[in-house]
Amino acid sequence: MRDVCVIGIGQTPIGELWGDSLRDLAYQSLQAAVKDAGIEKPEALFVANMLAPRLSNQAHLGALIANHVGWRGIEATTVEAACASGGTAFQAAVRAIASGMIDVAAVCGVEKMTDATSGHITAALATAADADYEGAHGASFVALNALIMQRYMHEYKVPHECFAPFSINAHANAVHNPNAMFQKAISLETYTRSAVIADPINLYDSSPISDGSAAIILCPLEMARDLSVNAPIRVLASATATDTVDLAGRQNMIDLYAARLSAQKAYQQARLQPQDIDVFEVHDAFSIMAALSLEAAGFAEPGKGVDLAQAGEITIQGRIPISTMGGLKGRGHPVGATGVYELVDLVTQLRGEAGPNQVPNAQFGMTQNIGGTGATVVTHILSQEL
Amino acid sequence: MRDVCVIGIGQTPIGELWGDSLRDLAYQSLQAAVKDAGIEKPEALFVANMLAPRLSNQAHLGALIANHVGWRGIEATTVEAACASGGTAFQAAVRAIASGMIDVAAVCGVEKMTDATSGHITAALATAADADYEGAHGASFVALNALIMQRYMHEYKVPHECFAPFSINAHANAVHNPNAMFQKAISLETYTRSAVIADPINLYDSSPISDGSAAIILCPLEMARDLSVNAPIRVLASATATDTVDLAGRQNMIDLYAARLSAQKAYQQARLQPQDIDVFEVHDAFSIMAALSLEAAGFAEPGKGVDLAQAGEITIQGRIPISTMGGLKGRGHPVGATGVYELVDLVTQLRGEAGPNQVPNAQFGMTQNIGGTGATVVTHILSQEL
């Protein structure tokens, strides 16, 4: 098994990008990534996307994007696991290189959501849930997350405003990210006064509907040394685990079994512990998910994720900084691309290029990309040291 | 890099399976495959599917199927490349094992098409084409294939009935496949008199809309020896290549560039030549695609694929038997599952378990799984000898 490195990253701004098509967004992030890596083109492209078949009438994105970028002939495919598509596509690229079958691979997460009507988008997002046992009853994706948050508040006797620090931290960090969708800070008052979307989830507990694309170039460690690439970042662990897609099938809906299992596998692969991790890009599609991810990954006991946030430990200066470039909440959440954005943000941190948002002395970083309400979870651990 | 083997196969019959849900079909093929392999469960599941997000309102099939089969916790994801999804999912599994990160992997191709209305299915299938440059003009998938067939007939001055042997051979072989959708032979007269679907493609040039699921279990070669599995089949080559998704973007629409490139890469990996291949499972979604695949893979000169068929060389007794269990035409074409069915059929041949359809002394076999009108092509070469 060969060791694998990230040698290039690229991204588009996230927003309502009505002037750019799906393939153009992918083109922009991939061009930026190959330029960053100093390579001409990869041998293989792994596209992460969830919604194009429904919102853009377009499947088959691998070949479509490879050719649009001018890489006719290369291997290309799409990897999908709902909102965890980005993490799984990155994992596929890591393995292609680790196996020795591919030397240079590109990962491109891309999603174009805002051209569709809101009803159409809501129905498309619900395909991340169980169509027969949840969707058929009219449960939207935000409603399912609201059930989890309600249960958490009930079990642990936590008032809603305890979740405010997740949103405030994400928005504060997004201010300094030029690619973030919402580059503005919010106050506690803004959070508590915001409109309820699906009780108890309010507007500021929710990530936005977004367009965007992020890309990563990977190669074997020995090749990264030969290429004398600027600051290659090593992949120490890549682990996916699953749980039931339907909430009703779980023994405990406020303990993310797949997130816990995936994190355990990742720590084992990297030979690290939670205390070794300097920065953690969480999947804060809803603030409840940030709390549960911190707990599942071993940074807080069950029910104590909100305490960690209340204590200021999730900020850039805290014990375990999360959503350092704005997270899904502030940076934006183009669903299929999100897992790749998380990794791009982490690489930015480990390279020491995060500017005002830089986590001091970040050596080991982790991402956790969550599909559905926790049914697929992909954990990656990256290292600044080779 | 570790060598990889197929140690188990499973499949459902193909047809209009209104009594079985998408997940139940996957359950059936996976249960059959793990039983065949003599294992309890895999560590990772790679699902091949194209249409569930549109036709079943269900994305996120990896976790959904893993949990439905009772494998809570295992790694799972979906791999998609339109009609080539099956081949790319198999490739992802091969690499996961070759990398050393996974020991036992399952591949499950599944598609449930017949519950939807024909207009809905046609629109969903068109997502394999270019939505902006082809779909927007109303080009259905069969219409695009008709353009290719028309061009072939024009360039090579070939009358339509020269394609009859592809359909007749596929149907003749399907007679002895209990899982085939159409277990009946057809005559030349049936072919020539059948209704035109999109000129010059007639009913018997076209594969059917189908439901079905096929599954494969893989493991490293050394483990297959330890498990003393019955007749493991070795993966000698796994190669994907791409071309433009839109036909208009190609230099020559009757030369399948990606198929040629993918086959060349596969021969190189396996250190074999076309003359070494004993059986070839082609992607005969339309009879024109069978001819073009034979030409691209080096079994006939350009324009001579139909001559090979006319000379009887594609039958079980011929030089290069194709569609030996009925192919997409006779066995059926549940699109996302088709690439897995092709591999299951090939493994059946290499094990010597094809009954009346057995290709004598089949040692090396090849599959070619085609996405879109040739935009993604995945070629696999398998060996009966370890």
Side-chain angles (χ1 to χ4, degrees), chain A residues 23 53-54 57-58 60 67 74-75 78 95 129-131 242-243 376, chain B residues 23 53-54 57-58 60 67 74-75 95 129-131 242-243 376:
Chain A
R23 71 186 83 190
R54 288 182 67 118
N57 293 319
Q58 187 69 67
H60 210 172
N67 280 277
I74 71 159
E75 175 192 320
T78 303
R95 285 180 178 165
D130 191 310
T242 56
D243 199 350
T376 303
Chain B
R23 71 186 81 189
R54 288 181 67 116
N57 293 319
Q58 185 69 67
H60 209 173
N67 280 278
I74 70 159
E75 174 191 321
R95 284 179 178 166
D130 191 310
T242 56
D243 198 350
T376 303

PDB file of all heavy atoms in Angstrom, chain A residues 23 53-54 57-58 60 67 74-75 78 95 129-131 242-243 376, chain B residues 23 53-54 57-58 60 67 74-75 95 129-131 242-243 376:
ATOM      1  N   ARG A  23     -21.155  22.271 -15.144  1.00  0.00           N
ATOM      2  CA  ARG A  23     -19.837  21.863 -15.651  1.00  0.00           C
ATOM      3  C   ARG A  23     -18.820  23.001 -15.568  1.00  0.00           C
ATOM      4  O   ARG A  23     -17.628  22.754 -15.410  1.00  0.00           O
ATOM      5  CB  ARG A  23     -19.958  21.297 -17.066  1.00  0.00           C
ATOM      6  CG  ARG A  23     -20.279  22.281 -18.151  1.00  0.00           C
ATOM      7  CD  ARG A  23     -20.530  21.575 -19.486  1.00  0.00           C
ATOM      8  NE  ARG A  23     -21.912  21.081 -19.555  1.00  0.00           N
ATOM      9  CZ  ARG A  23     -22.370  20.262 -20.497  1.00  0.00           C
ATOM     10  NH1 ARG A  23     -21.585  19.843 -21.458  1.00  0.00           N
ATOM     11  NH2 ARG A  23     -23.626  19.874 -20.489  1.00  0.00           N
ATOM     12  N   PRO A  53     -28.666  14.540 -11.230  1.00  0.00           N
ATOM     13  CA  PRO A  53     -29.650  13.769 -11.997  1.00  0.00           C
ATOM     14  C   PRO A  53     -31.067  14.340 -11.881  1.00  0.00           C
ATOM     15  O   PRO A  53     -31.841  14.275 -12.826  1.00  0.00           O
ATOM     16  CB  PRO A  53     -29.572  12.373 -11.381  1.00  0.00           C
ATOM     17  CG  PRO A  53     -28.177  12.283 -10.848  1.00  0.00           C
ATOM     18  CD  PRO A  53     -27.881  13.678 -10.333  1.00  0.00           C
ATOM     19  N   ARG A  54     -31.384  14.931 -10.740  1.00  0.00           N
ATOM     20  CA  ARG A  54     -32.725  15.489 -10.561  1.00  0.00           C
ATOM     21  C   ARG A  54     -32.775  16.981 -10.883  1.00  0.00           C
ATOM     22  O   ARG A  54     -33.685  17.440 -11.557  1.00  0.00           O
ATOM     23  CB  ARG A  54     -33.209  15.259  -9.116  1.00  0.00           C
ATOM     24  CG  ARG A  54     -33.557  13.796  -8.855  1.00  0.00           C
ATOM     25  CD  ARG A  54     -34.063  13.602  -7.443  1.00  0.00           C
ATOM     26  NE  ARG A  54     -35.329  14.253  -7.224  1.00  0.00           N
ATOM     27  CZ  ARG A  54     -36.456  13.626  -6.892  1.00  0.00           C
ATOM     28  NH1 ARG A  54     -36.462  12.299  -6.771  1.00  0.00           N
ATOM     29  NH2 ARG A  54     -37.560  14.279  -6.682  1.00  0.00           N
ATOM     30  N   ASN A  57     -30.995  17.396 -14.644  1.00  0.00           N
ATOM     31  CA  ASN A  57     -31.265  16.339 -15.645  1.00  0.00           C
ATOM     32  C   ASN A  57     -29.986  15.716 -16.175  1.00  0.00           C
ATOM     33  O   ASN A  57     -29.911  15.314 -17.330  1.00  0.00           O
ATOM     34  CB  ASN A  57     -32.084  16.904 -16.823  1.00  0.00           C
ATOM     35  CG  ASN A  57     -33.471  17.306 -16.397  1.00  0.00           C
ATOM     36  OD1 ASN A  57     -34.112  16.596 -15.626  1.00  0.00           O
ATOM     37  ND2 ASN A  57     -33.941  18.445 -16.877  1.00  0.00           N
ATOM     38  N   GLN A  58     -28.983  15.638 -15.334  1.00  0.00           N
ATOM     39  CA  GLN A  58     -27.672  15.178 -15.781  1.00  0.00           C
ATOM     40  C   GLN A  58     -27.058  14.154 -14.839  1.00  0.00           C
ATOM     41  O   GLN A  58     -26.677  14.490 -13.719  1.00  0.00           O
ATOM     42  CB  GLN A  58     -26.711  16.381 -15.922  1.00  0.00           C
ATOM     43  CG  GLN A  58     -25.365  16.031 -16.548  1.00  0.00           C
ATOM     44  CD  GLN A  58     -25.486  15.657 -18.013  1.00  0.00           C
ATOM     45  OE1 GLN A  58     -25.810  16.497 -18.839  1.00  0.00           O
ATOM     46  NE2 GLN A  58     -25.247  14.389 -18.348  1.00  0.00           N
ATOM     47  N   HIS A  60     -24.001  10.871 -15.158  1.00  0.00           N
ATOM     48  CA  HIS A  60     -22.829  10.646 -16.007  1.00  0.00           C
ATOM     49  C   HIS A  60     -21.834  11.815 -15.951  1.00  0.00           C
ATOM     50  O   HIS A  60     -21.239  12.196 -16.959  1.00  0.00           O
ATOM     51  CB  HIS A  60     -23.332  10.468 -17.457  1.00  0.00           C
ATOM     52  CG  HIS A  60     -22.447   9.562 -18.285  1.00  0.00           C
ATOM     53  ND1 HIS A  60     -22.783   9.142 -19.530  1.00  0.00           N
ATOM     54  CD2 HIS A  60     -21.224   9.017 -18.034  1.00  0.00           C
ATOM     55  CE1 HIS A  60     -21.824   8.386 -20.033  1.00  0.00           C
ATOM     56  NE2 HIS A  60     -20.876   8.283 -19.137  1.00  0.00           N
ATOM     57  N   ASN A  67     -14.225  15.677 -19.891  1.00  0.00           N
ATOM     58  CA  ASN A  67     -14.106  16.201 -21.246  1.00  0.00           C
ATOM     59  C   ASN A  67     -14.259  17.710 -21.303  1.00  0.00           C
ATOM     60  O   ASN A  67     -13.617  18.366 -22.119  1.00  0.00           O
ATOM     61  CB  ASN A  67     -15.119  15.511 -22.163  1.00  0.00           C
ATOM     62  CG  ASN A  67     -14.618  14.159 -22.601  1.00  0.00           C
ATOM     63  OD1 ASN A  67     -13.850  14.063 -23.544  1.00  0.00           O
ATOM     64  ND2 ASN A  67     -14.979  13.121 -21.864  1.00  0.00           N
ATOM     65  N   ILE A  74      -9.274  10.265 -20.128  1.00  0.00           N
ATOM     66  CA  ILE A  74      -8.935   9.818 -18.768  1.00  0.00           C
ATOM     67  C   ILE A  74     -10.083   9.045 -18.143  1.00  0.00           C
ATOM     68  O   ILE A  74     -11.237   9.185 -18.538  1.00  0.00           O
ATOM     69  CB  ILE A  74      -8.538  10.981 -17.827  1.00  0.00           C
ATOM     70  CG1 ILE A  74      -9.752  11.852 -17.462  1.00  0.00           C
ATOM     71  CG2 ILE A  74      -7.393  11.808 -18.389  1.00  0.00           C
ATOM     72  CD1 ILE A  74      -9.553  12.661 -16.201  1.00  0.00           C
ATOM     73  N   GLU A  75      -9.740   8.251 -17.168  1.00  0.00           N
ATOM     74  CA  GLU A  75     -10.750   7.538 -16.391  1.00  0.00           C
ATOM     75  C   GLU A  75     -11.582   8.533 -15.586  1.00  0.00           C
ATOM     76  O   GLU A  75     -11.034   9.501 -15.056  1.00  0.00           O
ATOM     77  CB  GLU A  75     -10.005   6.589 -15.433  1.00  0.00           C
ATOM     78  CG  GLU A  75     -10.892   5.866 -14.480  1.00  0.00           C
ATOM     79  CD  GLU A  75     -10.093   5.173 -13.391  1.00  0.00           C
ATOM     80  OE1 GLU A  75      -9.027   4.608 -13.672  1.00  0.00           O
ATOM     81  OE2 GLU A  75     -10.550   5.223 -12.232  1.00  0.00           O
ATOM     82  N   THR A  78     -18.505   8.912 -11.039  1.00  0.00           N
ATOM     83  CA  THR A  78     -19.150   9.662  -9.960  1.00  0.00           C
ATOM     84  C   THR A  78     -19.304   8.758  -8.744  1.00  0.00           C
ATOM     85  O   THR A  78     -19.626   7.580  -8.894  1.00  0.00           O
ATOM     86  CB  THR A  78     -20.556  10.150 -10.381  1.00  0.00           C
ATOM     87  OG1 THR A  78     -20.436  10.937 -11.560  1.00  0.00           O
ATOM     88  CG2 THR A  78     -21.214  10.977  -9.287  1.00  0.00           C
ATOM     89  N   ARG A  95      -7.686   5.351  -2.585  1.00  0.00           N
ATOM     90  CA  ARG A  95      -7.473   3.922  -2.824  1.00  0.00           C
ATOM     91  C   ARG A  95      -6.917   3.632  -4.204  1.00  0.00           C
ATOM     92  O   ARG A  95      -6.125   2.714  -4.376  1.00  0.00           O
ATOM     93  CB  ARG A  95      -8.781   3.194  -2.629  1.00  0.00           C
ATOM     94  CG  ARG A  95      -9.066   3.100  -1.167  1.00  0.00           C
ATOM     95  CD  ARG A  95     -10.322   2.401  -0.972  1.00  0.00           C
ATOM     96  NE  ARG A  95     -10.583   2.255   0.446  1.00  0.00           N
ATOM     97  CZ  ARG A  95     -11.747   1.928   0.918  1.00  0.00           C
ATOM     98  NH1 ARG A  95     -12.746   1.720   0.083  1.00  0.00           N
ATOM     99  NH2 ARG A  95     -11.923   1.805   2.205  1.00  0.00           N
ATOM    100  N   ALA A 129     -32.794  10.619   2.492  1.00  0.00           N
ATOM    101  CA  ALA A 129     -33.492   9.865   3.536  1.00  0.00           C
ATOM    102  C   ALA A 129     -34.087   8.596   2.920  1.00  0.00           C
ATOM    103  O   ALA A 129     -33.869   8.298   1.751  1.00  0.00           O
ATOM    104  CB  ALA A 129     -34.582  10.736   4.150  1.00  0.00           C
ATOM    105  N   ASP A 130     -34.836   7.835   3.705  1.00  0.00           N
ATOM    106  CA  ASP A 130     -35.417   6.591   3.216  1.00  0.00           C
ATOM    107  C   ASP A 130     -36.730   6.897   2.500  1.00  0.00           C
ATOM    108  O   ASP A 130     -37.712   7.302   3.124  1.00  0.00           O
ATOM    109  CB  ASP A 130     -35.638   5.652   4.410  1.00  0.00           C
ATOM    110  CG  ASP A 130     -35.992   4.242   3.974  1.00  0.00           C
ATOM    111  OD1 ASP A 130     -36.909   4.088   3.132  1.00  0.00           O
ATOM    112  OD2 ASP A 130     -35.356   3.291   4.457  1.00  0.00           O
ATOM    113  N   ALA A 131     -36.743   6.702   1.183  1.00  0.00           N
ATOM    114  CA  ALA A 131     -37.914   7.086   0.379  1.00  0.00           C
ATOM    115  C   ALA A 131     -39.165   6.307   0.782  1.00  0.00           C
ATOM    116  O   ALA A 131     -40.264   6.862   0.806  1.00  0.00           O
ATOM    117  CB  ALA A 131     -37.623   6.876  -1.108  1.00  0.00           C
ATOM    118  N   THR A 242     -21.445   2.958   8.100  1.00  0.00           N
ATOM    119  CA  THR A 242     -22.861   3.235   7.811  1.00  0.00           C
ATOM    120  C   THR A 242     -23.779   2.841   8.960  1.00  0.00           C
ATOM    121  O   THR A 242     -23.423   2.049   9.829  1.00  0.00           O
ATOM    122  CB  THR A 242     -23.336   2.469   6.558  1.00  0.00           C
ATOM    123  OG1 THR A 242     -23.095   1.071   6.751  1.00  0.00           O
ATOM    124  CG2 THR A 242     -22.636   2.945   5.309  1.00  0.00           C
ATOM    125  N   ASP A 243     -24.962   3.411   8.930  1.00  0.00           N
ATOM    126  CA  ASP A 243     -26.033   3.092   9.872  1.00  0.00           C
ATOM    127  C   ASP A 243     -27.315   3.012   9.042  1.00  0.00           C
ATOM    128  O   ASP A 243     -27.290   3.259   7.839  1.00  0.00           O
ATOM    129  CB  ASP A 243     -26.125   4.213  10.928  1.00  0.00           C
ATOM    130  CG  ASP A 243     -26.870   3.767  12.180  1.00  0.00           C
ATOM    131  OD1 ASP A 243     -27.478   2.683  12.172  1.00  0.00           O
ATOM    132  OD2 ASP A 243     -26.841   4.521  13.173  1.00  0.00           O
ATOM    133  N   THR A 376     -24.377   7.542   6.464  1.00  0.00           N
ATOM    134  CA  THR A 376     -23.023   7.321   5.936  1.00  0.00           C
ATOM    135  C   THR A 376     -22.106   8.379   6.531  1.00  0.00           C
ATOM    136  O   THR A 376     -22.414   9.568   6.444  1.00  0.00           O
ATOM    137  CB  THR A 376     -22.972   7.451   4.404  1.00  0.00           C
ATOM    138  OG1 THR A 376     -23.902   6.527   3.822  1.00  0.00           O
ATOM    139  CG2 THR A 376     -21.568   7.152   3.878  1.00  0.00           C
TER     140      THR A 376
ATOM    141  N   ARG B  23     -34.722  -2.311  -2.857  1.00  0.00           N
ATOM    142  CA  ARG B  23     -33.823  -2.852  -1.834  1.00  0.00           C
ATOM    143  C   ARG B  23     -33.966  -4.377  -1.717  1.00  0.00           C
ATOM    144  O   ARG B  23     -33.004  -5.058  -1.378  1.00  0.00           O
ATOM    145  CB  ARG B  23     -34.041  -2.140  -0.498  1.00  0.00           C
ATOM    146  CG  ARG B  23     -35.301  -2.436   0.230  1.00  0.00           C
ATOM    147  CD  ARG B  23     -35.461  -1.546   1.469  1.00  0.00           C
ATOM    148  NE  ARG B  23     -35.975  -0.225   1.092  1.00  0.00           N
ATOM    149  CZ  ARG B  23     -36.053   0.817   1.905  1.00  0.00           C
ATOM    150  NH1 ARG B  23     -35.645   0.714   3.157  1.00  0.00           N
ATOM    151  NH2 ARG B  23     -36.537   1.960   1.499  1.00  0.00           N
ATOM    152  N   PRO B  53     -32.419   7.699  -7.970  1.00  0.00           N
ATOM    153  CA  PRO B  53     -32.763   9.046  -7.512  1.00  0.00           C
ATOM    154  C   PRO B  53     -33.977   9.621  -8.248  1.00  0.00           C
ATOM    155  O   PRO B  53     -34.748  10.379  -7.656  1.00  0.00           O
ATOM    156  CB  PRO B  53     -31.498   9.860  -7.824  1.00  0.00           C
ATOM    157  CG  PRO B  53     -30.387   8.858  -7.774  1.00  0.00           C
ATOM    158  CD  PRO B  53     -30.988   7.600  -8.348  1.00  0.00           C
ATOM    159  N   ARG B  54     -34.161   9.258  -9.501  1.00  0.00           N
ATOM    160  CA  ARG B  54     -35.302   9.771 -10.255  1.00  0.00           C
ATOM    161  C   ARG B  54     -36.494   8.823 -10.222  1.00  0.00           C
ATOM    162  O   ARG B  54     -37.618   9.256  -9.989  1.00  0.00           O
ATOM    163  CB  ARG B  54     -34.904  10.030 -11.710  1.00  0.00           C
ATOM    164  CG  ARG B  54     -33.982  11.248 -11.861  1.00  0.00           C
ATOM    165  CD  ARG B  54     -33.632  11.495 -13.306  1.00  0.00           C
ATOM    166  NE  ARG B  54     -34.757  11.904 -14.086  1.00  0.00           N
ATOM    167  CZ  ARG B  54     -34.896  13.086 -14.687  1.00  0.00           C
ATOM    168  NH1 ARG B  54     -33.945  13.985 -14.585  1.00  0.00           N
ATOM    169  NH2 ARG B  54     -35.960  13.372 -15.394  1.00  0.00           N
ATOM    170  N   ASN B  57     -37.099   7.892  -6.169  1.00  0.00           N
ATOM    171  CA  ASN B  57     -36.900   8.980  -5.198  1.00  0.00           C
ATOM    172  C   ASN B  57     -35.875   8.604  -4.130  1.00  0.00           C
ATOM    173  O   ASN B  57     -35.979   9.022  -2.984  1.00  0.00           O
ATOM    174  CB  ASN B  57     -38.221   9.358  -4.517  1.00  0.00           C
ATOM    175  CG  ASN B  57     -39.197   9.978  -5.486  1.00  0.00           C
ATOM    176  OD1 ASN B  57     -38.804  10.791  -6.330  1.00  0.00           O
ATOM    177  ND2 ASN B  57     -40.460   9.598  -5.407  1.00  0.00           N
ATOM    178  N   GLN B  58     -34.891   7.807  -4.518  1.00  0.00           N
ATOM    179  CA  GLN B  58     -33.943   7.298  -3.535  1.00  0.00           C
ATOM    180  C   GLN B  58     -32.503   7.431  -4.013  1.00  0.00           C
ATOM    181  O   GLN B  58     -32.093   6.749  -4.956  1.00  0.00           O
ATOM    182  CB  GLN B  58     -34.258   5.817  -3.249  1.00  0.00           C
ATOM    183  CG  GLN B  58     -33.421   5.195  -2.142  1.00  0.00           C
ATOM    184  CD  GLN B  58     -33.780   5.789  -0.784  1.00  0.00           C
ATOM    185  OE1 GLN B  58     -34.872   5.574  -0.295  1.00  0.00           O
ATOM    186  NE2 GLN B  58     -32.864   6.551  -0.185  1.00  0.00           N
ATOM    187  N   HIS B  60     -28.445   7.618  -2.055  1.00  0.00           N
ATOM    188  CA  HIS B  60     -27.893   7.083  -0.799  1.00  0.00           C
ATOM    189  C   HIS B  60     -28.088   5.570  -0.674  1.00  0.00           C
ATOM    190  O   HIS B  60     -28.357   5.047   0.423  1.00  0.00           O
ATOM    191  CB  HIS B  60     -28.603   7.813   0.366  1.00  0.00           C
ATOM    192  CG  HIS B  60     -27.751   7.938   1.597  1.00  0.00           C
ATOM    193  ND1 HIS B  60     -28.133   8.666   2.694  1.00  0.00           N
ATOM    194  CD2 HIS B  60     -26.549   7.417   1.915  1.00  0.00           C
ATOM    195  CE1 HIS B  60     -27.203   8.604   3.621  1.00  0.00           C
ATOM    196  NE2 HIS B  60     -26.229   7.852   3.175  1.00  0.00           N
ATOM    197  N   ASN B  67     -27.660  -1.810   5.144  1.00  0.00           N
ATOM    198  CA  ASN B  67     -28.458  -2.035   6.340  1.00  0.00           C
ATOM    199  C   ASN B  67     -29.630  -2.972   6.094  1.00  0.00           C
ATOM    200  O   ASN B  67     -30.003  -3.751   6.962  1.00  0.00           O
ATOM    201  CB  ASN B  67     -28.929  -0.700   6.914  1.00  0.00           C
ATOM    202  CG  ASN B  67     -27.831  -0.050   7.719  1.00  0.00           C
ATOM    203  OD1 ASN B  67     -27.627  -0.372   8.873  1.00  0.00           O
ATOM    204  ND2 ASN B  67     -27.048   0.813   7.078  1.00  0.00           N
ATOM    205  N   ILE B  74     -20.936  -1.496   8.064  1.00  0.00           N
ATOM    206  CA  ILE B  74     -19.901  -1.642   7.027  1.00  0.00           C
ATOM    207  C   ILE B  74     -19.835  -0.393   6.153  1.00  0.00           C
ATOM    208  O   ILE B  74     -20.780   0.374   6.058  1.00  0.00           O
ATOM    209  CB  ILE B  74     -20.134  -2.878   6.122  1.00  0.00           C
ATOM    210  CG1 ILE B  74     -21.361  -2.691   5.209  1.00  0.00           C
ATOM    211  CG2 ILE B  74     -20.219  -4.157   6.921  1.00  0.00           C
ATOM    212  CD1 ILE B  74     -21.348  -3.602   3.995  1.00  0.00           C
ATOM    213  N   GLU B  75     -18.709  -0.238   5.519  1.00  0.00           N
ATOM    214  CA  GLU B  75     -18.529   0.835   4.549  1.00  0.00           C
ATOM    215  C   GLU B  75     -19.430   0.594   3.338  1.00  0.00           C
ATOM    216  O   GLU B  75     -19.580  -0.548   2.908  1.00  0.00           O
ATOM    217  CB  GLU B  75     -17.058   0.818   4.114  1.00  0.00           C
ATOM    218  CG  GLU B  75     -16.745   1.768   3.014  1.00  0.00           C
ATOM    219  CD  GLU B  75     -15.347   1.518   2.435  1.00  0.00           C
ATOM    220  OE1 GLU B  75     -14.411   1.216   3.197  1.00  0.00           O
ATOM    221  OE2 GLU B  75     -15.227   1.629   1.208  1.00  0.00           O
ATOM    222  N   ARG B  95     -10.007  -2.031  -6.576  1.00  0.00           N
ATOM    223  CA  ARG B  95      -8.960  -1.158  -6.047  1.00  0.00           C
ATOM    224  C   ARG B  95      -8.930  -1.106  -4.525  1.00  0.00           C
ATOM    225  O   ARG B  95      -7.864  -1.001  -3.933  1.00  0.00           O
ATOM    226  CB  ARG B  95      -9.167   0.240  -6.575  1.00  0.00           C
ATOM    227  CG  ARG B  95      -8.721   0.276  -8.008  1.00  0.00           C
ATOM    228  CD  ARG B  95      -8.941   1.602  -8.550  1.00  0.00           C
ATOM    229  NE  ARG B  95      -8.461   1.648  -9.908  1.00  0.00           N
ATOM    230  CZ  ARG B  95      -8.762   2.616 -10.736  1.00  0.00           C
ATOM    231  NH1 ARG B  95      -9.532   3.594 -10.320  1.00  0.00           N
ATOM    232  NH2 ARG B  95      -8.296   2.609 -11.947  1.00  0.00           N
ATOM    233  N   ALA B 129     -27.044  11.086 -21.415  1.00  0.00           N
ATOM    234  CA  ALA B 129     -26.564  11.933 -22.513  1.00  0.00           C
ATOM    235  C   ALA B 129     -26.260  13.321 -21.965  1.00  0.00           C
ATOM    236  O   ALA B 129     -26.339  13.561 -20.761  1.00  0.00           O
ATOM    237  CB  ALA B 129     -27.611  11.988 -23.614  1.00  0.00           C
ATOM    238  N   ASP B 130     -25.906  14.240 -22.847  1.00  0.00           N
ATOM    239  CA  ASP B 130     -25.561  15.588 -22.406  1.00  0.00           C
ATOM    240  C   ASP B 130     -26.843  16.424 -22.288  1.00  0.00           C
ATOM    241  O   ASP B 130     -27.495  16.723 -23.294  1.00  0.00           O
ATOM    242  CB  ASP B 130     -24.602  16.208 -23.430  1.00  0.00           C
ATOM    243  CG  ASP B 130     -23.986  17.505 -22.925  1.00  0.00           C
ATOM    244  OD1 ASP B 130     -24.743  18.384 -22.458  1.00  0.00           O
ATOM    245  OD2 ASP B 130     -22.753  17.648 -22.992  1.00  0.00           O
ATOM    246  N   ALA B 131     -27.197  16.788 -21.066  1.00  0.00           N
ATOM    247  CA  ALA B 131     -28.478  17.466 -20.823  1.00  0.00           C
ATOM    248  C   ALA B 131     -28.543  18.816 -21.537  1.00  0.00           C
ATOM    249  O   ALA B 131     -29.599  19.197 -22.051  1.00  0.00           O
ATOM    250  CB  ALA B 131     -28.701  17.649 -19.320  1.00  0.00           C
ATOM    251  N   THR B 242     -12.695   7.532 -21.082  1.00  0.00           N
ATOM    252  CA  THR B 242     -13.863   8.365 -21.384  1.00  0.00           C
ATOM    253  C   THR B 242     -13.719   9.104 -22.710  1.00  0.00           C
ATOM    254  O   THR B 242     -12.618   9.265 -23.238  1.00  0.00           O
ATOM    255  CB  THR B 242     -14.079   9.443 -20.289  1.00  0.00           C
ATOM    256  OG1 THR B 242     -12.879  10.215 -20.147  1.00  0.00           O
ATOM    257  CG2 THR B 242     -14.464   8.822 -18.968  1.00  0.00           C
ATOM    258  N   ASP B 243     -14.856   9.536 -23.211  1.00  0.00           N
ATOM    259  CA  ASP B 243     -14.928  10.356 -24.419  1.00  0.00           C
ATOM    260  C   ASP B 243     -15.971  11.442 -24.121  1.00  0.00           C
ATOM    261  O   ASP B 243     -16.572  11.455 -23.040  1.00  0.00           O
ATOM    262  CB  ASP B 243     -15.367   9.479 -25.594  1.00  0.00           C
ATOM    263  CG  ASP B 243     -15.056  10.094 -26.951  1.00  0.00           C
ATOM    264  OD1 ASP B 243     -14.672  11.286 -27.003  1.00  0.00           O
ATOM    265  OD2 ASP B 243     -15.199   9.383 -27.957  1.00  0.00           O
ATOM    266  N   THR B 376     -18.298   6.662 -21.407  1.00  0.00           N
ATOM    267  CA  THR B 376     -17.517   5.954 -20.380  1.00  0.00           C
ATOM    268  C   THR B 376     -17.483   4.485 -20.757  1.00  0.00           C
ATOM    269  O   THR B 376     -18.541   3.891 -20.980  1.00  0.00           O
ATOM    270  CB  THR B 376     -18.159   6.076 -18.988  1.00  0.00           C
ATOM    271  OG1 THR B 376     -18.308   7.452 -18.652  1.00  0.00           O
ATOM    272  CG2 THR B 376     -17.293   5.386 -17.934  1.00  0.00           C
TER     273      THR B 376
END
